[in-house]
Amino acid sequence: MSAQIISVESNSSDNLDWAKPKEYTIAGIEVAGSQYTDQNIVRLLSGITHGDKIQIPGDKIAEAIKNLWKQGLFEDVKIYLVKTIGNDAFLKIEVVEKPRLSKFSFKGKVKKNDADEIRGKIRLVREKVVTDYTLGYIKNVVRDFYVNKGFYHTSVEITTEPDKTAKTPHVIVYINVNKGKKVRIQNLNLIGNTVVEDWKLRRKMTDSKPFRLYTFWNSGKYLEDNLEKDLPSIIEKYNSKGYRDARISKDTVYFVKKNRVNIDVTIEEGNKYYFGDIKWFGNAKYRSGQLDTILNIKKGEVFDQSLLDQKLFMNPNGYDISSLYMDDGYLFFNVTPQEVNIHNDTIDIDIHMYEGKQAIINKVTVLGNSKTNDHVIYREIRTRPGQLFRRSDIIRTQRELSQLGYFDPEKLGVTPTPNPADGTVDIEYRVEEKPSDQVELSGGWGGGRVVGTLGLSFNNFSMRNIFKPSAWSPLPTGDGQKFSIRAQTNGIYYQSYNMSFTEPWLGGKKPNSLSVSAFYSFFNSTGEKKYANDSEGNRILNPNRSTMAIIGGSVGFGKRLKKPDDFFSIYTEASYNYYELKNYPYFILANGFANDFNGKINITRNSVDGPIFPKNGSNFSLLGQFTPPYSLFNGKDYANSSAAEKYRFIEYQKYKFTAEWYTQLTNKKAGEGKEARNLVLRTKIGYGILGMYNKKVGVSPFERYYMGGSGLSGYQNFVAREIIALRGYSDNSLSSSNGDPLCARYTMELRYPISLNPQATIFVLGFAEAGNTWAKYKDFNPFQVKRSAGFGLRVFLPMFGLLGLDYGWGFDNIPGNAGSGNGKGQFHFTLGAQLGEL
């Protein structure tokens, strides 16, 4: 950096005396050397402008050079006095710009994923000015990145070299990384604890556990932030046992090897305390005795501040004081517990309450719905203007919006804004749209052939806008209707086509749904063409062709019930299926046709909190499916009737019961911008019975249960039968060849989410399940089942639905099938949802 004042020419009669500064008016400023920086910007940054009066020589010139230098854009700055004319001076600012970035790359053992993440953090772009600050910033960011991964000995060196291919000064930046080995925790030493065992305290240190080979899922890496976050959990453990004065007096981290550290934690336990008298003040709505019942903390119980807080503010396992008031409109309610007396080991508590007025909901708004129409969202919202504020209504609204499947459940938010002046509250719901339409690419294997399925499901369809060209983007959406079309085939042997439409709010005022569907399926077991030539060359129907054709449709009506509670719903459906069989040996009826008129009624109670990865709630279903009892009033002699006559009008009665529970086993809280990943236990039981009206007719050959495998068994999936999955066994291996009328299945899954991102929801699971089918009613034994266990992976992609891969071991012997069960394992792969409701 330099400042030079050089008189090049002067039209003034005055000579410049360098020893005696003189005031000049700046008449012009020339800029040289700025190839990338705009000349006007250089003039502006210098702090000298046209018309300024400055002393030459003087401090203003030196200050201008400093102003330009501190921008970090230039390697050298000079200011020349070009000439003077009278009291006017003409200056020249000459700069040498710093080189620009041509490209950068990593050296050392840098993984591609790490490199991509670091690029996002340092944000280097071509033509960026490469300054010392920039290079230092890169070095710090890269080192911090690896330190936060446990590589405490990471060294980063930044080197540059000129880019000889560039016409102007450019440099190539090399980021040399030597991350070394990860620093892990060798031992976690707990000192001073006498009432809580070491292993219980170590278990609380979620992210600061010692590294052991036998706990491969725990990396054991040492991070200072993790330790700082974990230490309070030790105190929480003591507090829950009554040791309210417990504290960590010292924690020390020291290296025992180059890549191993020990952590010493010294604990002062203090004394154990118990609850004393608990008194209420300020309560007018409810008597103290009622509040004592809800609080349910007795004198003499071990003092636990977290338990007291739960019972007052938010109890995940039941009712609490705040819920009592806030579910009755008392939004401005406030409760403050105070320790008023500590005598020996007993703590007396006074609970002061401010009930306030009941709040009335004023405005309800929704933000973030860019695709779904407002009325679709507002009809699911339980908080309405003019109603009393209820916290339970907000929780239920969040559940209903999540169940729609249109929004990211992890991003659903609600903001109540109280207005104490007028006793009202405004409620704002925030949603974030996610893809909900699906392209189904299902695959299965049956009859030695691959069966492919292509289906399109539009889960947020708008039928009323179908004739509005402006609404097609690419299809009319936003009204919450469901429309799907589907085709399945393996070529000449099997074809199936179906379509369905559901309006969830028929008429738009009540949650009454209307569903219609239609399908056509065709089976050709021999692969023969429809026509053949006889011995004389005449065109005739092919006598060697074995086929079954099915055509059918249904109309259903659903209604949400209010009693016993509004989680209940009822669905009724009327359907008709027509079967035409020719030389088809897979049923008792090989030739002829059959008519299936049936009605369904399904009562469900569904309180599951999410459609893709539920964490809590249950789902119960009781279904009955009936045909008219033709044999009881048509007077036919079914004992001597042929199969074609017996099954011309199919008759049966079918019942199914399922119960499913989701239980969140852990309660980890997510940090800002992160996902809360918790273990979830899924348990399910299911029973199915296919009954008859007349023993002479017997059990219908249609609608029977077939168990085993993944639930996808190729082109037999939709032939009036119900496929029930049981992993660990071959497809349909647990049932007789013609299916069975009785079925039982039990499932238990332990699930853990890898990603809850709606663009790709991924979770792993371990399962244990059992099930069986029975051909005779007298043989039914719900405990005589075939068992299996295994593990699996689920990936939900919005465009393709749920993809599943399981590996299961069947533990029991299957008579006549040595390749299934007996401890043998096998993979089960499914594209799309599993079939079978049990």
Side-chain angles (χ1 to χ4, degrees), residues 110-127:
V110 179
K111 296 180 180 178
K112 183 180 183 301
N113 290 342
D114 289 348
D116 291 342
E117 193 169 344
I118 292 171
R119 285 189 181 96
K121 291 178 178 292
I122 60 179
R123 299 176 183 175
L124 281 182
V125 294
R126 184 176 173 84
E127 302 301 332

Side-chain angles (χ1 to χ4, degrees), residues 106-107 110 114 118-119 121-122 135-149 151 154-158 175-179:
F106 294 91
K107 289 187 176 182
V110 179
D114 289 348
I118 292 171
R119 285 189 181 96
K121 291 178 178 292
I122 60 179
L135 299 179
Y137 174 77
I138 294 171
K139 182 175 182 177
N140 292 335
V141 169
V142 175
R143 187 180 186 282
D144 289 347
F145 175 81
Y146 282 105
V147 167
N148 289 334
K149 285 180 170 287
F151 297 95
T154 298
S155 63
V156 181
E157 182 182 356
I158 309 296
I175 305 173
N176 304 279
V177 180
N178 181 12
K179 62 184 181 182

